[in-house]
Amino acid sequence: MTGKPDETKTAKQKPRRPTLEEIPFVREVPVVANATMVVLRYVGAWLRAGDKESGGFGVRLLALGVTGYIAIYVAEKHPGLWYAYGGTAFVLVTAVAVRTGLSAGRTVKDLEAAPDPAPAEEKPLEPSTLNDHENAGEEHPEPETPVASPAEADAAFGLFVEHNVAFAVRTDPKGDRKGVHTDTLLKILHSAGILADWTEPMLRQKCKTLGIPVRTQMGIRGRNYFGVHVDDLEHALGRAVRLPPQLVLDGTLNAPAAPAAEPPAPPLEITLAQPPAGAG
């Protein structure tokens, strides 16, 4: 060793360039973009929910355009409003991002493709918790999902409409109720956890497909809306509408209904009903 320092030059390491996700605010751009897409989807769904037959879609689209025009016109005269618009948009997009669980690097498509969380595994019951008449090895079969053909599912749908029309007419104390609104039928289905992805226009189109007449204006308790009138339904059936047997007092199908607060539950076969073609 000569004692001289090593004159070999060490290669200088170049500083690593930060990725986009490491730059503050830049990594949040996907969140803002995805949340904005969700907001636009909500607006589109609101427009599509407008009833096309009664002009609701055009009215909603016109109202949206007029509101946007007024907002821009007022902002041109008062430029300070742009800050209020921007702040409102920021709060809305942030709320949607938090509500929908969006995060950096996670898109709307990822949320749609995410599998449902697996249900928690149930622990087997201890022999001491079983009833006296039950054995540890005895199994209780769960109710099976009904297997029905499309024709049987459509028949169950028609029976559901008939039962609810008959129930609404024959349990009305004043006797002036002549049918049921189509959105009321949809609420009954949704409350039973059936056809949760159906909309009211889809249900109305399904009724028309099955030959169930639907009136565009039917007054029930001071409210006019689409509905199935008992006279129209009985004319289409060629007979009087019938109640489900469990709601009949004396077993006669056309007898008065027993006192009940809840409308007839839909048959399970309706779960297999196919949406009408071209329904939106």
Side-chain angles (χ1 to χ4, degrees):
M1 298 180 61
T2 60
K4 295 182 179 181
D6 189 6
E7 296 180 355
T8 304
K9 295 183 179 180
T10 58
K12 295 183 179 180
Q13 295 182 353
K14 295 182 179 180
R16 185 178 63 87
R17 294 183 179 180
T19 61
L20 289 178
E21 292 185 355
E22 295 175 346
I23 301 176
F25 302 107
V26 173
R27 61 184 179 184
E28 304 302 331
V29 170
V31 179
V32 177
N34 293 328
T36 304
M37 292 299 298
V38 174
V39 173
L40 293 178
R41 287 191 178 189
Y42 286 158
V43 174
W46 176 74
L47 289 174
R48 290 195 302 271
D51 181 45
K52 298 180 181 179
E53 296 184 8
S54 62
F57 177 82
V59 171
R60 293 187 180 190
L61 184 61
L62 179 62
L64 187 62
V66 171
T67 303
Y69 174 79
I70 294 176
I72 295 175
Y73 178 79
V74 174
E76 289 179 352
K77 296 185 176 298
H78 304 280
L81 287 177
W82 288 112
Y83 295 101
Y85 294 166
T88 303
F90 174 78
V91 172
L92 179 61
V93 171
T94 303
V96 171
V98 174
R99 185 81 175 178
T100 55
L102 293 171
S103 59
R106 193 178 187 191
T107 64
V108 175
K109 183 179 295 185
D110 296 331
L111 290 178
E112 294 176 347
D116 296 333
E121 296 182 359
E122 297 182 357
K123 296 182 180 180
L125 294 176
E126 298 294 335
S128 58
T129 61
L130 298 175
N131 295 332
D132 296 338
H133 63 278
E134 292 181 343
N135 296 325
E138 186 179 355
E139 296 182 356
H140 298 276
E142 297 181 356
E144 297 181 356
T145 303
V147 178
S149 64
E152 292 172 337
D154 291 344
F157 185 93
L159 196 63
F160 161 72
V161 176
E162 177 186 352
H163 286 171
N164 279 273
V165 170
F167 176 84
V169 172
R170 293 175 184 163
T171 57
D172 184 21
K174 297 182 179 180
D176 56 355
R177 190 173 181 181
K178 299 300 181 182
V180 62
H181 286 147
T182 51
D183 59 349
T184 301
L185 294 173
L186 186 65
K187 289 179 181 178
I188 297 172
L189 290 172
H190 286 179
S191 63
I194 296 176
L195 305 182
D197 57 339
W198 280 40
T199 61
E200 190 274 336
M202 292 172 63
L203 184 140
R204 192 175 347 118
Q205 183 62 35
K206 186 67 173 181
C207 288
K208 295 180 180 179
T209 302
L210 299 179
I212 300 174
V214 177
R215 292 192 179 185
T216 57
Q217 292 288 335
M218 193 173 74
I220 298 178
R221 297 177 179 175
R223 176 174 175 259
N224 285 323
Y225 195 69
F226 294 92
V228 181
H229 197 282
V230 61
D231 294 340
D232 299 339
L233 183 58
E234 289 182 342
H235 183 268
L237 294 174
R239 56 172 174 80
V241 292
R242 298 171 179 174
L243 288 164
Q246 65 270 19
L247 296 183
V248 177
L249 290 173
D250 59 358
T252 306
L253 291 179
N254 289 323
E262 297 295 333
L268 294 179
E269 289 79 4
I270 296 184
T271 57
L272 303 178
Q274 297 297 321

